[in-house]
Amino acid sequence: MSQRKYIFFMHLTAEQVLWYYQGHIKSVVVQADSGERVQLELRHFKPFIRHEGVKARFELVTSLYGNFISLKKIN
């Protein structure tokens, strides 16, 4: 299966994470190191959320059609 990989930095404050849990936001748009913009649902970041929010580099893998495959923290 062919895949696309995107490397990007994500910083969400504790307040922004709270907006997610309150149902005000469902997804974010990130800019990959390649310059491409990718929209993904915040639920994929749940394993990485800490008290202070999220602040890390990630690798997102999607199918060629943009379907989510995996997200992993790389720093």
Side-chain angles (χ1 to χ4, degrees):
M1 173 171 39
S2 298
Q3 301 175 340
R4 304 257 346 239
K5 291 186 180 182
Y6 304 92
I7 306 294
F8 61 93
F9 179 78
M10 167 64 82
H11 181 209
L12 292 174
T13 65
E15 182 180 20
Q16 290 168 319
V17 171
L18 182 60
W19 294 340
Y20 162 68
Y21 281 109
Q22 292 174 339
H24 298 295
I25 55 174
K26 300 273 187 217
S27 62
V28 292
V29 176
V30 298
Q31 183 167 345
D33 292 354
S34 64
E36 297 169 283
R37 291 182 184 265
V38 182
Q39 181 174 339
L40 67 153
E41 295 180 18
L42 278 171
R43 67 184 175 93
H44 298 300
F45 289 95
K46 275 183 112 173
F48 311 106
I49 293 175
R50 302 293 177 254
H51 179 72
E52 61 277 355
V54 177
K55 189 174 184 178
R57 289 185 59 73
F58 291 92
E59 177 185 80
L60 169 67
V61 180
T62 69
S63 70
L64 287 180
Y65 302 106
N67 297 325
F68 179 88
I69 295 174
S70 67
L71 179 68
K72 70 179 179 179
K73 188 175 171 182
I74 58 173
N75 67 334

